[in-house]
């Protein structure tokens, strides 16, 4: 882990609406993993505890009224490239339910992590990440901690490496190269996840804070930042209210703030491989582009 000194920094941006308002935030000193938890690390946890992830557990028919029980197969969301250009407003064209997908088999039973032990673990839900963190005598970072650490001391910078966009041949992180979602030429040769530390570290020595996999934080997602001292700050001290408010309309599943972007982030669609960027994700979700790192 890397010791982060803590301090006051400029949190948020005006790039996307949910990254605002830009405000000053203070975090206490803390430690955070240098890189996302790898498949090898997660395998050691499972071997030691016998833990079964959410994506591997049987589905309860009571939670899916009207669905044929035969269709209730454990799994997770899997990214599938489209044959060609599509309407980027419809994410369902490239995301599909992967029956049998899990951390061991990210794209389904036919896939494996045997040659990807140094890649970030994926297909892990919020519960899975939190349970691993507790086993390791750690915890998940807050959104503010994650953003402060990802900035690497570059307060207010657009990217983890500064304000200038990266360029082919000199990439700051693993993000989509080519035309999303149908043509990916690979980031430094990697299509999909890459081994942790493939791309340059930030000013604090952390790697993979820009792309590779989205990372869980412990904070409930809000459509705007709750600024300390504001009229909404009191609500921030009541997690039960935030949990309910974070859920999508019609759902009771809370959503957390993800940070860091992923290998699927493309400038023309999702320029979120930036420290200020954030994304909502339901606690029970497991996908091929979400992982985590721990703090304490």
């Amino acid at each position: 882990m890397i010791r982060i000194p803590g301090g006051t920094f400029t949190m948020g941006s005006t790039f996307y609406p949910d990254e605002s308002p830009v405000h000053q935030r203070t975090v206490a000193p803390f430690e955070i993993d240098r890189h996302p938890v790898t498949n090898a690390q997660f395998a050691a946890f499972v071997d030691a505890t016998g833990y079964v992830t959410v994506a591997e557990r049987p589905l309860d028919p009571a939670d899916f009224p009207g669905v044929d029980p035969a269709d209730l197969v454990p799994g997770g969301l899997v990214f599938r490239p489209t044959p060609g250009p599509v309407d980027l407003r419809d994410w369902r064209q490239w995301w599909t339910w992967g029956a049998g997908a899990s951390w061991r088999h990210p794209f389904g039973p036919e896939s494996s992590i045997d040659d990807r032990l140094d890649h970030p673990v994926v297909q892990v839900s919020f519960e899975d990440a939190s349970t691993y963190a507790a086993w390791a005598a750690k915890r998940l970072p807050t959104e503010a901690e994650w953003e402060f650490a990802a900035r690497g001391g570059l307060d207010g910078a657009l990217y983890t490496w500064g304000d200038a966009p990266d360029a082919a041949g000199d990439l700051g992180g693993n993000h989509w190269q080519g035309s999303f979602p149908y043509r990916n030429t690979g980031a430094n040769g990697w299509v999909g996840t890459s081994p942790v530390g493939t791309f340059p570290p930030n000013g604090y020595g952390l790697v993979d804070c820009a792309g590779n996999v989205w990372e869980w934080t412990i904070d409930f997602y809000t459509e705007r930042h709750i600024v300390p001292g504001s009229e909404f700050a009191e609500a921030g001290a009541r997690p039960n209210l935030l949990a309910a408010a974070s859920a999508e309309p019609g759902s009771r599943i809370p959503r957390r703030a993800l940070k860091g972007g992923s290998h699927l982030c493309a400038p023309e669609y999702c320029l979120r491989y930036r420290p200020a960027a954030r994304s909502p994700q339901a606690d029970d979700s497991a996908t091929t582009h979400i992982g985590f790192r721990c703090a304490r």
Side-chain angles (χ1 to χ4, degrees):
M1 301 185 81
I2 290 179
R3 181 72 172 175
I4 306 298
T8 300
F9 74 108
T10 304
M11 185 173 184
S13 80
T14 57
F15 201 96
Y16 289 125
D18 69 345
E19 298 169 15
S20 64
V22 177
H23 62 285
Q24 296 298 293
R25 184 70 66 94
T26 300
V27 296
F30 65 101
E31 293 181 326
I32 192 166
D33 288 344
R34 178 175 177 269
H35 56 72
V37 172
T38 65
N39 284 313
Q41 291 174 310
F42 200 80
F45 156 65
V46 171
D47 289 344
T49 64
Y51 182 78
V52 177
T53 63
V54 170
E56 298 171 288
R57 300 173 195 170
L59 302 180
D60 186 349
D63 293 333
F64 303 91
V67 177
D68 186 341
D71 294 333
L72 297 180
V73 181
L77 284 175
V78 171
F79 173 80
R80 304 287 189 195
T82 60
V86 295
D87 184 348
L88 295 181
R89 292 171 296 182
D90 184 8
W91 58 267
R92 292 173 180 82
Q93 296 185 82
W94 54 86
W95 284 107
T96 185
W97 179 254
S102 70
W103 73 272
R104 290 186 178 90
H105 309 286
F107 291 89
E110 74 287 352
S111 63
S112 171
I113 59 168
D114 290 348
D115 61 347
R116 295 178 168 234
L117 294 179
D118 56 352
H119 288 231
V121 66
V122 294
Q123 294 291 9
V124 284
S125 70
F126 178 78
E127 178 185 330
D128 303 331
S130 299
T131 304
Y132 174 96
W135 171 79
K138 304 177 186 179
R139 58 173 172 80
L140 295 181
T142 67
E143 183 178 358
E145 287 175 335
W146 196 102
E147 184 169 331
F148 182 80
R151 291 187 176 280
L154 297 179
D155 190 41
L158 189 60
Y159 301 101
T160 61
W161 56 84
D163 288 318
D166 56 2
D170 187 25
L171 297 177
N174 179 2
H175 56 90
W176 188 278
Q177 304 297 300
S179 302
F180 187 84
Y182 62 94
R183 182 175 62 86
N184 188 351
T185 58
N188 287 2
W190 295 100
V191 175
T193 58
S194 52
V196 296
T198 297
F199 296 84
N202 72 2
Y204 288 144
L206 274 65
V207 295
D208 293 325
C209 292
N212 212 0
V213 291
W214 282 102
E215 300 180 22
W216 290 106
T217 73
I218 202 167
D219 287 344
F220 293 111
Y221 176 80
T222 53
E223 293 185 356
R224 288 172 58 85
H225 286 303
I226 296 178
V227 179
S230 71
E231 60 182 305
F232 302 106
E234 182 179 350
R238 304 175 67 180
N240 57 327
L241 293 180
L242 283 181
S246 71
E248 287 189 285
S251 172
R252 293 180 296 176
I253 306 298
R255 294 186 296 174
R256 308 284 169 161
L258 302 182
K259 298 290 283 184
S262 81
H263 58 89
L264 296 181
C265 285
E268 71 270 25
Y269 172 65
C270 170
L271 209 166
R272 286 189 164 89
Y273 46 92
R274 300 171 291 104
R278 54 207 300 267
S279 180
Q281 196 69 45
D283 281 10
D284 61 350
S285 295
T287 78
T288 48
H289 74 330
I290 297 177
F292 68 101
R293 77 179 74 204
C294 303
R296 66 185 174 200

